[in-house]
Short mmCIF file of all heavy atoms in Angstrom, two decimals:
data_model
loop_
_atom_site.label_atom_id
_atom_site.label_comp_id
_atom_site.label_asym_id
_atom_site.label_seq_id
_atom_site.Cartn_x
_atom_site.Cartn_y
_atom_site.Cartn_z
N LEU A 1 -115.26 -58.87 30.20
CA LEU A 1 -114.96 -60.21 30.66
C LEU A 1 -115.54 -60.56 32.04
O LEU A 1 -115.43 -61.63 32.47
CB LEU A 1 -113.44 -60.43 30.66
CG LEU A 1 -112.73 -60.37 29.29
CD1 LEU A 1 -111.23 -60.45 29.47
CD2 LEU A 1 -113.27 -61.43 28.40
N GLY A 2 -116.03 -59.55 32.70
CA GLY A 2 -116.68 -59.79 33.97
C GLY A 2 -115.76 -59.73 35.19
O GLY A 2 -116.21 -60.00 36.27
N TYR A 3 -114.48 -59.42 34.99
CA TYR A 3 -113.55 -59.33 36.13
C TYR A 3 -113.46 -57.89 36.65
O TYR A 3 -113.39 -56.98 35.85
CB TYR A 3 -112.18 -59.80 35.77
CG TYR A 3 -112.09 -61.28 35.55
CD1 TYR A 3 -111.92 -61.77 34.25
CD2 TYR A 3 -112.20 -62.17 36.59
CE1 TYR A 3 -111.83 -63.15 34.03
CE2 TYR A 3 -112.12 -63.52 36.38
CZ TYR A 3 -111.94 -64.02 35.07
OH TYR A 3 -111.86 -65.33 34.87
N LYS A 4 -113.49 -57.73 37.94
CA LYS A 4 -113.21 -56.42 38.52
C LYS A 4 -111.74 -56.18 38.56
O LYS A 4 -110.92 -57.15 38.51
CB LYS A 4 -113.79 -56.33 39.90
CG LYS A 4 -115.32 -56.41 39.93
CD LYS A 4 -115.86 -56.20 41.31
CE LYS A 4 -115.95 -57.56 41.97
NZ LYS A 4 -116.35 -57.51 43.35
N PHE A 5 -111.31 -54.97 38.63
CA PHE A 5 -109.86 -54.63 38.64
C PHE A 5 -109.14 -55.39 39.75
O PHE A 5 -108.06 -55.93 39.51
CB PHE A 5 -109.70 -53.13 38.81
CG PHE A 5 -108.23 -52.74 38.85
CD1 PHE A 5 -107.47 -52.74 37.69
CD2 PHE A 5 -107.60 -52.38 40.05
CE1 PHE A 5 -106.15 -52.40 37.76
CE2 PHE A 5 -106.30 -52.05 40.10
CZ PHE A 5 -105.54 -52.04 38.95
N ASP A 6 -109.70 -55.44 40.97
CA ASP A 6 -109.07 -56.15 42.08
C ASP A 6 -108.83 -57.60 41.75
O ASP A 6 -107.77 -58.18 42.10
CB ASP A 6 -109.93 -56.08 43.35
CG ASP A 6 -109.95 -54.63 43.95
OD1 ASP A 6 -109.12 -53.81 43.53
OD2 ASP A 6 -110.83 -54.39 44.81
N GLU A 7 -109.78 -58.23 41.07
CA GLU A 7 -109.64 -59.62 40.71
C GLU A 7 -108.51 -59.84 39.71
O GLU A 7 -107.79 -60.80 39.79
CB GLU A 7 -110.93 -60.20 40.17
CG GLU A 7 -112.02 -60.33 41.23
CD GLU A 7 -113.32 -60.85 40.68
OE1 GLU A 7 -113.29 -61.64 39.70
OE2 GLU A 7 -114.36 -60.46 41.22
N ILE A 8 -108.37 -58.89 38.78
CA ILE A 8 -107.31 -58.99 37.82
C ILE A 8 -105.95 -58.88 38.50
O ILE A 8 -105.02 -59.63 38.21
CB ILE A 8 -107.47 -57.91 36.73
CG1 ILE A 8 -108.73 -58.20 35.91
CG2 ILE A 8 -106.24 -57.82 35.84
CD1 ILE A 8 -109.12 -57.08 34.96
N VAL A 9 -105.82 -57.95 39.43
CA VAL A 9 -104.55 -57.74 40.15
C VAL A 9 -104.26 -59.00 40.97
O VAL A 9 -103.09 -59.51 40.96
CB VAL A 9 -104.62 -56.49 41.06
CG1 VAL A 9 -103.41 -56.41 41.97
CG2 VAL A 9 -104.73 -55.26 40.18
N ILE A 10 -105.25 -59.53 41.66
CA ILE A 10 -105.05 -60.72 42.45
C ILE A 10 -104.64 -61.92 41.53
O ILE A 10 -103.73 -62.67 41.89
CB ILE A 10 -106.30 -61.07 43.29
CG1 ILE A 10 -106.53 -59.99 44.35
CG2 ILE A 10 -106.25 -62.46 43.88
CD1 ILE A 10 -107.85 -60.06 45.05
N ARG A 11 -105.30 -62.02 40.42
CA ARG A 11 -104.95 -63.09 39.46
C ARG A 11 -103.51 -62.99 39.06
O ARG A 11 -102.78 -63.97 39.00
CB ARG A 11 -105.88 -63.03 38.28
CG ARG A 11 -105.66 -64.12 37.24
CD ARG A 11 -106.64 -64.02 36.08
NE ARG A 11 -108.01 -64.14 36.49
CZ ARG A 11 -108.63 -65.30 36.60
NH1 ARG A 11 -108.01 -66.45 36.36
NH2 ARG A 11 -109.91 -65.31 36.96
N GLN A 12 -103.04 -61.80 38.76
CA GLN A 12 -101.65 -61.59 38.31
C GLN A 12 -100.68 -61.92 39.45
O GLN A 12 -99.57 -62.41 39.18
CB GLN A 12 -101.43 -60.19 37.79
CG GLN A 12 -102.11 -59.95 36.46
CD GLN A 12 -102.07 -58.51 36.01
OE1 GLN A 12 -101.90 -57.58 36.83
NE2 GLN A 12 -102.25 -58.26 34.74
N LEU A 13 -101.07 -61.63 40.69
CA LEU A 13 -100.16 -61.92 41.82
C LEU A 13 -100.07 -63.40 42.08
O LEU A 13 -98.98 -63.92 42.32
CB LEU A 13 -100.69 -61.24 43.09
CG LEU A 13 -100.51 -59.74 43.16
CD1 LEU A 13 -101.25 -59.18 44.40
CD2 LEU A 13 -99.05 -59.35 43.21
N PHE A 14 -101.17 -64.11 42.05
CA PHE A 14 -101.21 -65.53 42.37
C PHE A 14 -100.81 -66.44 41.20
O PHE A 14 -100.07 -67.39 41.39
CB PHE A 14 -102.60 -65.95 42.85
CG PHE A 14 -102.83 -65.66 44.34
CD1 PHE A 14 -103.31 -64.43 44.72
CD2 PHE A 14 -102.63 -66.67 45.26
CE1 PHE A 14 -103.53 -64.20 46.07
CE2 PHE A 14 -102.87 -66.40 46.59
CZ PHE A 14 -103.30 -65.18 47.00
N ASP A 15 -101.34 -66.14 40.08
CA ASP A 15 -101.12 -67.02 38.91
C ASP A 15 -99.97 -66.48 38.10
O ASP A 15 -100.11 -65.95 37.03
CB ASP A 15 -102.40 -67.11 38.08
CG ASP A 15 -102.35 -68.10 36.97
OD1 ASP A 15 -101.38 -68.90 36.91
OD2 ASP A 15 -103.25 -68.07 36.09
N LYS A 16 -98.74 -66.72 38.60
CA LYS A 16 -97.54 -66.14 38.00
C LYS A 16 -97.35 -66.55 36.53
O LYS A 16 -96.89 -65.74 35.74
CB LYS A 16 -96.28 -66.55 38.82
CG LYS A 16 -96.20 -65.85 40.12
CD LYS A 16 -96.24 -64.37 39.93
CE LYS A 16 -95.37 -63.64 40.88
NZ LYS A 16 -95.57 -62.20 40.75
N ASP A 17 -97.65 -67.75 36.19
CA ASP A 17 -97.40 -68.21 34.81
C ASP A 17 -98.69 -68.00 33.94
O ASP A 17 -98.65 -68.41 32.79
CB ASP A 17 -96.93 -69.63 34.74
CG ASP A 17 -97.89 -70.64 35.30
OD1 ASP A 17 -99.02 -70.24 35.72
OD2 ASP A 17 -97.54 -71.83 35.35
N LEU A 18 -99.71 -67.41 34.51
CA LEU A 18 -100.97 -67.14 33.80
C LEU A 18 -101.59 -68.38 33.14
O LEU A 18 -102.17 -68.30 32.09
CB LEU A 18 -100.79 -66.03 32.78
CG LEU A 18 -100.27 -64.68 33.35
CD1 LEU A 18 -100.01 -63.70 32.21
CD2 LEU A 18 -101.25 -64.14 34.36
N SER A 19 -101.45 -69.51 33.82
CA SER A 19 -101.95 -70.77 33.30
C SER A 19 -103.45 -70.96 33.55
O SER A 19 -104.07 -71.86 33.02
CB SER A 19 -101.17 -71.94 33.89
OG SER A 19 -101.42 -72.04 35.29
N GLY A 20 -103.99 -70.16 34.47
CA GLY A 20 -105.39 -70.38 34.87
C GLY A 20 -105.50 -71.22 36.08
O GLY A 20 -106.56 -71.39 36.69
N GLY A 21 -104.37 -71.87 36.46
CA GLY A 21 -104.34 -72.70 37.63
C GLY A 21 -103.22 -72.23 38.54
O GLY A 21 -102.34 -71.41 38.17
N MET A 22 -103.31 -72.61 39.81
CA MET A 22 -102.28 -72.23 40.79
C MET A 22 -101.62 -73.45 41.35
O MET A 22 -102.30 -74.31 41.92
CB MET A 22 -102.92 -71.39 41.90
CG MET A 22 -103.43 -70.09 41.43
SD MET A 22 -104.26 -69.18 42.74
CE MET A 22 -103.17 -69.43 44.11
N SER A 23 -100.32 -73.49 41.23
CA SER A 23 -99.57 -74.61 41.85
C SER A 23 -99.31 -74.27 43.30
O SER A 23 -99.43 -73.12 43.75
CB SER A 23 -98.25 -74.80 41.13
OG SER A 23 -97.37 -73.73 41.37
N THR A 24 -98.90 -75.30 44.05
CA THR A 24 -98.53 -75.05 45.44
C THR A 24 -97.37 -74.05 45.54
O THR A 24 -97.32 -73.24 46.46
CB THR A 24 -98.18 -76.36 46.16
OG1 THR A 24 -97.18 -77.06 45.44
CG2 THR A 24 -99.40 -77.24 46.34
N ASN A 25 -96.45 -74.12 44.61
CA ASN A 25 -95.31 -73.19 44.62
C ASN A 25 -95.76 -71.76 44.43
O ASN A 25 -95.23 -70.85 45.08
CB ASN A 25 -94.26 -73.53 43.52
CG ASN A 25 -93.53 -74.79 43.85
OD1 ASN A 25 -93.41 -75.21 45.02
ND2 ASN A 25 -93.03 -75.47 42.86
N GLU A 26 -96.74 -71.53 43.57
CA GLU A 26 -97.28 -70.19 43.40
C GLU A 26 -98.01 -69.71 44.64
O GLU A 26 -97.86 -68.54 45.05
CB GLU A 26 -98.23 -70.14 42.21
CG GLU A 26 -97.54 -70.24 40.85
CD GLU A 26 -98.48 -70.36 39.70
OE1 GLU A 26 -99.50 -71.16 39.79
OE2 GLU A 26 -98.22 -69.70 38.68
N ILE A 27 -98.71 -70.59 45.32
CA ILE A 27 -99.42 -70.21 46.56
C ILE A 27 -98.40 -69.86 47.61
O ILE A 27 -98.51 -68.84 48.29
CB ILE A 27 -100.32 -71.35 46.99
CG1 ILE A 27 -101.45 -71.59 45.99
CG2 ILE A 27 -100.90 -71.09 48.39
CD1 ILE A 27 -102.24 -72.83 46.20
N ILE A 28 -97.37 -70.67 47.77
CA ILE A 28 -96.31 -70.42 48.79
C ILE A 28 -95.63 -69.09 48.50
O ILE A 28 -95.38 -68.29 49.42
CB ILE A 28 -95.31 -71.57 48.83
CG1 ILE A 28 -95.98 -72.84 49.38
CG2 ILE A 28 -94.08 -71.19 49.66
CD1 ILE A 28 -95.18 -74.10 49.22
N TYR A 29 -95.32 -68.84 47.24
CA TYR A 29 -94.62 -67.59 46.87
C TYR A 29 -95.48 -66.37 47.24
O TYR A 29 -94.99 -65.41 47.87
CB TYR A 29 -94.35 -67.59 45.36
CG TYR A 29 -93.85 -66.23 44.90
CD1 TYR A 29 -92.51 -65.87 45.12
CD2 TYR A 29 -94.70 -65.32 44.25
CE1 TYR A 29 -92.05 -64.61 44.72
CE2 TYR A 29 -94.19 -64.10 43.82
CZ TYR A 29 -92.92 -63.74 44.08
OH TYR A 29 -92.46 -62.52 43.67
N VAL A 30 -96.77 -66.39 46.90
CA VAL A 30 -97.58 -65.25 47.18
C VAL A 30 -97.75 -65.03 48.69
O VAL A 30 -97.66 -63.87 49.15
CB VAL A 30 -98.95 -65.34 46.47
CG1 VAL A 30 -99.92 -64.27 46.94
CG2 VAL A 30 -98.79 -65.30 44.98
N PHE A 31 -97.94 -66.06 49.42
CA PHE A 31 -98.04 -65.93 50.86
C PHE A 31 -96.75 -65.34 51.47
O PHE A 31 -96.78 -64.49 52.37
CB PHE A 31 -98.41 -67.24 51.52
CG PHE A 31 -99.91 -67.49 51.58
CD1 PHE A 31 -100.61 -67.80 50.44
CD2 PHE A 31 -100.60 -67.37 52.75
CE1 PHE A 31 -101.98 -68.02 50.44
CE2 PHE A 31 -101.95 -67.57 52.80
CZ PHE A 31 -102.68 -67.87 51.62
N SER A 32 -95.60 -65.79 50.94
CA SER A 32 -94.32 -65.24 51.45
C SER A 32 -94.20 -63.75 51.12
O SER A 32 -93.64 -63.01 51.92
CB SER A 32 -93.14 -66.01 50.87
OG SER A 32 -92.93 -65.75 49.51
N GLN A 33 -94.71 -63.32 50.00
CA GLN A 33 -94.66 -61.91 49.60
C GLN A 33 -95.55 -61.09 50.54
O GLN A 33 -95.34 -59.90 50.70
CB GLN A 33 -95.08 -61.69 48.14
CG GLN A 33 -94.12 -62.34 47.18
CD GLN A 33 -92.71 -61.78 47.34
OE1 GLN A 33 -92.49 -60.60 47.20
NE2 GLN A 33 -91.75 -62.65 47.59
N MET A 34 -96.57 -61.71 51.14
CA MET A 34 -97.44 -61.02 52.08
C MET A 34 -96.88 -61.11 53.53
O MET A 34 -97.54 -60.69 54.46
CB MET A 34 -98.84 -61.62 52.02
CG MET A 34 -99.51 -61.37 50.71
SD MET A 34 -101.28 -61.87 50.64
CE MET A 34 -101.21 -63.59 50.99
N GLY A 35 -95.70 -61.75 53.67
CA GLY A 35 -95.09 -61.85 54.99
C GLY A 35 -95.59 -63.05 55.74
O GLY A 35 -95.39 -63.14 56.97
N LEU A 36 -96.26 -63.98 55.11
CA LEU A 36 -96.78 -65.17 55.75
C LEU A 36 -96.02 -66.40 55.36
O LEU A 36 -95.72 -66.59 54.17
CB LEU A 36 -98.29 -65.33 55.42
CG LEU A 36 -99.17 -64.16 55.73
CD1 LEU A 36 -100.54 -64.32 55.10
CD2 LEU A 36 -99.30 -63.97 57.21
N LYS A 37 -95.68 -67.23 56.34
CA LYS A 37 -94.96 -68.46 56.02
C LYS A 37 -95.98 -69.59 55.85
O LYS A 37 -96.78 -69.84 56.71
CB LYS A 37 -93.99 -68.77 57.15
CG LYS A 37 -93.11 -69.98 56.86
CD LYS A 37 -91.87 -69.94 57.73
CE LYS A 37 -91.05 -71.16 57.52
NZ LYS A 37 -90.43 -71.29 56.21
N LEU A 38 -95.89 -70.24 54.74
CA LEU A 38 -96.78 -71.35 54.41
C LEU A 38 -95.92 -72.51 53.98
O LEU A 38 -95.09 -72.39 53.10
CB LEU A 38 -97.71 -70.93 53.26
CG LEU A 38 -98.84 -71.84 52.92
CD1 LEU A 38 -99.89 -71.83 54.06
CD2 LEU A 38 -99.52 -71.40 51.62
N SER A 39 -96.07 -73.64 54.63
CA SER A 39 -95.29 -74.82 54.31
C SER A 39 -95.89 -75.49 53.07
O SER A 39 -97.06 -75.20 52.66
CB SER A 39 -95.28 -75.82 55.48
OG SER A 39 -96.56 -76.44 55.60
N GLU A 40 -95.11 -76.37 52.46
CA GLU A 40 -95.64 -77.12 51.29
C GLU A 40 -96.85 -77.96 51.69
O GLU A 40 -97.83 -77.99 50.94
CB GLU A 40 -94.50 -77.97 50.72
CG GLU A 40 -94.96 -78.74 49.47
CD GLU A 40 -93.86 -79.55 48.83
OE1 GLU A 40 -92.74 -79.62 49.40
OE2 GLU A 40 -94.08 -80.07 47.73
N LYS A 41 -96.78 -78.53 52.85
CA LYS A 41 -97.91 -79.33 53.36
C LYS A 41 -99.17 -78.47 53.49
O LYS A 41 -100.27 -78.91 53.10
CB LYS A 41 -97.55 -79.95 54.72
CG LYS A 41 -98.64 -80.82 55.28
CD LYS A 41 -98.23 -81.45 56.57
CE LYS A 41 -99.38 -82.28 57.15
NZ LYS A 41 -99.06 -82.89 58.43
N GLU A 42 -99.06 -77.26 54.02
CA GLU A 42 -100.18 -76.35 54.16
C GLU A 42 -100.74 -75.98 52.79
O GLU A 42 -101.96 -75.89 52.63
CB GLU A 42 -99.81 -75.13 54.96
CG GLU A 42 -99.53 -75.43 56.43
CD GLU A 42 -98.89 -74.25 57.14
OE1 GLU A 42 -97.99 -73.57 56.57
OE2 GLU A 42 -99.32 -73.97 58.29
N ALA A 43 -99.82 -75.71 51.87
CA ALA A 43 -100.27 -75.33 50.50
C ALA A 43 -101.03 -76.51 49.86
O ALA A 43 -102.06 -76.29 49.19
CB ALA A 43 -99.08 -74.91 49.65
N ILE A 44 -100.55 -77.69 50.02
CA ILE A 44 -101.22 -78.88 49.48
C ILE A 44 -102.59 -79.02 50.13
O ILE A 44 -103.57 -79.34 49.42
CB ILE A 44 -100.34 -80.16 49.70
CG1 ILE A 44 -99.11 -80.09 48.82
CG2 ILE A 44 -101.18 -81.43 49.45
CD1 ILE A 44 -98.09 -81.16 49.11
N GLU A 45 -102.69 -78.79 51.41
CA GLU A 45 -104.02 -78.89 52.05
C GLU A 45 -104.98 -77.84 51.52
O GLU A 45 -106.15 -78.13 51.36
CB GLU A 45 -103.85 -78.73 53.59
CG GLU A 45 -103.19 -79.90 54.26
CD GLU A 45 -103.92 -81.22 54.01
OE1 GLU A 45 -105.17 -81.25 54.14
OE2 GLU A 45 -103.22 -82.22 53.74
N MET A 46 -104.46 -76.64 51.21
CA MET A 46 -105.35 -75.60 50.61
C MET A 46 -105.84 -76.07 49.27
O MET A 46 -107.04 -75.90 48.94
CB MET A 46 -104.57 -74.32 50.46
CG MET A 46 -104.26 -73.61 51.77
SD MET A 46 -103.29 -72.16 51.53
CE MET A 46 -104.59 -71.00 51.11
N VAL A 47 -104.98 -76.66 48.46
CA VAL A 47 -105.37 -77.16 47.16
C VAL A 47 -106.43 -78.27 47.30
O VAL A 47 -107.41 -78.26 46.58
CB VAL A 47 -104.14 -77.62 46.33
CG1 VAL A 47 -104.56 -78.36 45.08
CG2 VAL A 47 -103.24 -76.46 46.00
N LYS A 48 -106.20 -79.17 48.23
CA LYS A 48 -107.10 -80.29 48.42
C LYS A 48 -108.47 -79.78 48.91
O LYS A 48 -109.46 -80.39 48.62
CB LYS A 48 -106.51 -81.28 49.42
CG LYS A 48 -105.43 -82.12 48.79
CD LYS A 48 -104.94 -83.16 49.79
CE LYS A 48 -103.90 -84.06 49.14
NZ LYS A 48 -103.43 -85.09 50.09
N GLU A 49 -108.49 -78.70 49.68
CA GLU A 49 -109.74 -78.16 50.16
C GLU A 49 -110.58 -77.67 48.93
O GLU A 49 -111.77 -77.84 48.92
CB GLU A 49 -109.50 -76.97 51.09
CG GLU A 49 -110.77 -76.33 51.60
CD GLU A 49 -110.52 -75.19 52.57
OE1 GLU A 49 -109.41 -75.12 53.16
OE2 GLU A 49 -111.39 -74.33 52.72
N VAL A 50 -109.92 -77.06 47.96
CA VAL A 50 -110.59 -76.56 46.80
C VAL A 50 -110.83 -77.62 45.79
O VAL A 50 -111.86 -77.68 45.11
CB VAL A 50 -109.80 -75.39 46.19
CG1 VAL A 50 -110.46 -74.86 44.93
CG2 VAL A 50 -109.63 -74.25 47.20
N ASN A 51 -109.89 -78.53 45.62
CA ASN A 51 -109.94 -79.52 44.59
C ASN A 51 -109.56 -80.93 45.19
O ASN A 51 -108.46 -81.42 45.03
CB ASN A 51 -108.96 -79.17 43.45
CG ASN A 51 -109.06 -80.10 42.29
OD1 ASN A 51 -109.96 -80.93 42.20
ND2 ASN A 51 -108.14 -79.95 41.33
N PRO A 52 -110.52 -81.52 45.91
CA PRO A 52 -110.26 -82.78 46.63
C PRO A 52 -109.86 -83.94 45.73
O PRO A 52 -109.21 -84.87 46.17
CB PRO A 52 -111.53 -83.06 47.40
CG PRO A 52 -112.54 -82.11 46.94
CD PRO A 52 -111.87 -81.06 46.10
N LYS A 53 -110.19 -83.88 44.43
CA LYS A 53 -109.85 -84.97 43.52
C LYS A 53 -108.43 -84.94 43.01
O LYS A 53 -107.96 -85.86 42.37
CB LYS A 53 -110.85 -84.99 42.35
CG LYS A 53 -112.27 -85.29 42.75
CD LYS A 53 -113.20 -85.28 41.58
CE LYS A 53 -114.63 -85.53 42.04
NZ LYS A 53 -115.55 -85.48 40.96
N ASP A 54 -107.76 -83.81 43.26
CA ASP A 54 -106.38 -83.65 42.79
C ASP A 54 -105.43 -84.46 43.66
O ASP A 54 -105.11 -84.06 44.76
CB ASP A 54 -105.97 -82.19 42.80
CG ASP A 54 -104.61 -81.92 42.22
OD1 ASP A 54 -103.90 -82.88 41.94
OD2 ASP A 54 -104.31 -80.75 41.97
N GLU A 55 -105.02 -85.60 43.14
CA GLU A 55 -104.18 -86.48 43.94
C GLU A 55 -102.69 -86.21 43.78
O GLU A 55 -101.90 -86.44 44.67
CB GLU A 55 -104.43 -87.95 43.53
CG GLU A 55 -105.90 -88.38 43.87
CD GLU A 55 -106.13 -88.61 45.32
OE1 GLU A 55 -105.15 -89.02 46.02
OE2 GLU A 55 -107.24 -88.39 45.77
N GLU A 56 -102.26 -85.74 42.57
CA GLU A 56 -100.85 -85.66 42.32
C GLU A 56 -100.36 -84.30 41.81
O GLU A 56 -99.26 -83.91 42.05
CB GLU A 56 -100.47 -86.72 41.27
CG GLU A 56 -100.67 -88.12 41.74
CD GLU A 56 -100.40 -89.18 40.67
OE1 GLU A 56 -99.76 -88.83 39.69
OE2 GLU A 56 -100.85 -90.29 40.83
N MET A 57 -101.19 -83.59 41.09
CA MET A 57 -100.74 -82.36 40.43
C MET A 57 -100.61 -81.20 41.42
O MET A 57 -99.78 -80.33 41.21
CB MET A 57 -101.70 -81.99 39.31
CG MET A 57 -101.77 -82.94 38.18
SD MET A 57 -100.17 -83.16 37.33
CE MET A 57 -100.00 -81.57 36.54
N TYR A 58 -101.37 -81.21 42.47
CA TYR A 58 -101.37 -80.13 43.45
C TYR A 58 -101.52 -78.75 42.76
O TYR A 58 -100.72 -77.87 42.95
CB TYR A 58 -100.12 -80.17 44.34
CG TYR A 58 -100.02 -81.47 45.08
CD1 TYR A 58 -98.93 -82.28 44.98
CD2 TYR A 58 -101.09 -81.90 45.90
CE1 TYR A 58 -98.86 -83.49 45.64
CE2 TYR A 58 -101.01 -83.09 46.58
CZ TYR A 58 -99.90 -83.88 46.45
OH TYR A 58 -99.83 -85.08 47.13
N GLU A 59 -102.52 -78.66 41.93
CA GLU A 59 -102.84 -77.41 41.27
C GLU A 59 -104.33 -77.24 41.33
O GLU A 59 -105.10 -78.18 41.32
CB GLU A 59 -102.38 -77.43 39.83
CG GLU A 59 -102.57 -76.07 39.16
CD GLU A 59 -101.80 -75.93 37.84
OE1 GLU A 59 -100.59 -76.12 37.88
OE2 GLU A 59 -102.47 -75.68 36.85
N VAL A 60 -104.76 -75.98 41.43
CA VAL A 60 -106.16 -75.68 41.60
C VAL A 60 -106.53 -74.61 40.59
O VAL A 60 -105.72 -73.75 40.26
CB VAL A 60 -106.47 -75.25 43.07
CG1 VAL A 60 -105.79 -73.94 43.42
CG2 VAL A 60 -107.98 -75.17 43.29
N ASN A 61 -107.77 -74.67 40.10
CA ASN A 61 -108.29 -73.64 39.22
C ASN A 61 -108.29 -72.32 39.98
O ASN A 61 -108.79 -72.26 41.11
CB ASN A 61 -109.70 -74.05 38.77
CG ASN A 61 -110.36 -72.98 37.95
OD1 ASN A 61 -110.82 -71.98 38.48
ND2 ASN A 61 -110.37 -73.24 36.63
N PHE A 62 -107.78 -71.27 39.37
CA PHE A 62 -107.68 -69.98 40.04
C PHE A 62 -109.02 -69.48 40.51
O PHE A 62 -109.13 -68.97 41.67
CB PHE A 62 -107.01 -68.94 39.14
CG PHE A 62 -106.92 -67.62 39.83
CD1 PHE A 62 -105.91 -67.38 40.72
CD2 PHE A 62 -107.86 -66.64 39.62
CE1 PHE A 62 -105.82 -66.16 41.39
CE2 PHE A 62 -107.79 -65.43 40.29
CZ PHE A 62 -106.74 -65.18 41.15
N ASP A 63 -110.04 -69.54 39.70
CA ASP A 63 -111.36 -69.03 40.08
C ASP A 63 -111.93 -69.75 41.32
O ASP A 63 -112.52 -69.09 42.22
CB ASP A 63 -112.34 -69.12 38.92
CG ASP A 63 -111.98 -68.19 37.78
OD1 ASP A 63 -111.45 -67.10 38.04
OD2 ASP A 63 -112.18 -68.62 36.60
N ASP A 64 -111.73 -71.05 41.40
CA ASP A 64 -112.22 -71.80 42.57
C ASP A 64 -111.42 -71.39 43.83
O ASP A 64 -111.99 -71.19 44.93
CB ASP A 64 -112.03 -73.31 42.35
CG ASP A 64 -112.96 -73.84 41.27
OD1 ASP A 64 -113.99 -73.18 40.99
OD2 ASP A 64 -112.69 -74.94 40.73
N PHE A 65 -110.11 -71.19 43.70
CA PHE A 65 -109.27 -70.79 44.79
C PHE A 65 -109.70 -69.39 45.30
O PHE A 65 -109.80 -69.12 46.46
CB PHE A 65 -107.82 -70.82 44.39
CG PHE A 65 -106.88 -70.51 45.58
CD1 PHE A 65 -106.55 -71.48 46.47
CD2 PHE A 65 -106.34 -69.25 45.71
CE1 PHE A 65 -105.76 -71.22 47.54
CE2 PHE A 65 -105.50 -68.97 46.77
CZ PHE A 65 -105.20 -69.94 47.69
N LEU A 66 -109.92 -68.49 44.32
CA LEU A 66 -110.28 -67.12 44.67
C LEU A 66 -111.61 -67.09 45.48
O LEU A 66 -111.73 -66.34 46.41
CB LEU A 66 -110.41 -66.28 43.38
CG LEU A 66 -110.72 -64.82 43.57
CD1 LEU A 66 -109.64 -64.12 44.38
CD2 LEU A 66 -110.85 -64.14 42.22
N LYS A 67 -112.56 -67.89 45.06
CA LYS A 67 -113.87 -67.95 45.81
C LYS A 67 -113.63 -68.37 47.24
O LYS A 67 -114.20 -67.79 48.16
CB LYS A 67 -114.80 -68.95 45.13
CG LYS A 67 -115.37 -68.44 43.83
CD LYS A 67 -116.24 -69.49 43.20
CE LYS A 67 -116.53 -69.13 41.78
NZ LYS A 67 -117.21 -70.22 41.02
N ILE A 68 -112.78 -69.36 47.48
CA ILE A 68 -112.47 -69.80 48.85
C ILE A 68 -111.79 -68.73 49.64
O ILE A 68 -112.15 -68.45 50.76
CB ILE A 68 -111.60 -71.07 48.81
CG1 ILE A 68 -112.36 -72.24 48.19
CG2 ILE A 68 -111.09 -71.42 50.20
CD1 ILE A 68 -113.54 -72.76 49.03
N MET A 69 -110.81 -68.10 49.04
CA MET A 69 -110.04 -67.03 49.72
C MET A 69 -110.91 -65.84 50.08
O MET A 69 -110.79 -65.24 51.14
CB MET A 69 -108.87 -66.56 48.88
CG MET A 69 -107.79 -67.60 48.66
SD MET A 69 -107.07 -68.18 50.22
CE MET A 69 -106.19 -66.74 50.75
N MET A 70 -111.82 -65.48 49.22
CA MET A 70 -112.71 -64.33 49.45
C MET A 70 -113.81 -64.64 50.45
O MET A 70 -114.36 -63.75 51.03
CB MET A 70 -113.23 -63.79 48.14
CG MET A 70 -112.08 -63.38 47.26
SD MET A 70 -112.39 -62.28 45.91
CE MET A 70 -112.86 -60.76 46.59
N SER A 71 -114.10 -65.91 50.63
CA SER A 71 -115.17 -66.26 51.58
C SER A 71 -114.64 -66.41 53.00
O SER A 71 -115.43 -66.40 53.91
CB SER A 71 -115.84 -67.58 51.14
OG SER A 71 -114.94 -68.67 51.35
N ASN A 72 -113.32 -66.51 53.17
CA ASN A 72 -112.75 -66.64 54.53
C ASN A 72 -112.45 -65.32 55.14
O ASN A 72 -112.24 -64.34 54.60
CB ASN A 72 -111.49 -67.49 54.49
CG ASN A 72 -111.83 -68.96 54.19
OD1 ASN A 72 -112.89 -69.45 54.52
ND2 ASN A 72 -110.90 -69.64 53.54
#
């Protein structure tokens, strides 16, 4: 399938419902598990950075989010 083991583990950590997308709640949860506090506003900004057309759903495709996270 083209995924490395690390990517599979990261996918399972972030995409709790395995929907292929990440909600702001999933992002906040994972950051809290890493000991980082992320507000809802910050999570929404992260989603908008990856998916600027998302006006209401506040969900981002996992693969797009992963690319952004790995580039920073």
Side-chain angles (χ1 to χ4, degrees):
L1 294 174
Y3 290 109
K4 293 185 271 176
F5 179 74
D6 291 346
E7 290 178 32
I8 293 170
V9 171
I10 292 169
R11 182 179 297 275
Q12 290 173 338
L13 287 172
F14 276 86
D15 186 10
K16 288 303 216 187
D17 63 2
L18 302 176
S19 67
M22 293 177 45
S23 69
T24 53
N25 289 335
E26 288 172 317
I27 295 168
I28 291 168
Y29 172 78
V30 171
F31 273 74
S32 73
Q33 295 302 301
M34 295 187 300
L36 303 169
K37 184 159 177 67
L38 189 70
S39 70
E40 184 175 6
K41 181 179 178 181
E42 291 169 319
I44 290 170
E45 290 302 316
M46 290 178 82
V47 169
K48 285 183 177 181
E49 180 180 337
V50 177
N51 187 7
K53 294 180 182 178
D54 186 349
E55 297 285 329
E56 297 175 17
M57 295 298 292
Y58 301 122
E59 186 165 304
V60 65
N61 176 283
F62 179 81
D63 292 326
D64 293 340
F65 185 81
L66 184 59
K67 287 176 192 172
I68 294 293
M69 293 301 291
M70 299 198 67
S71 70
N72 290 332

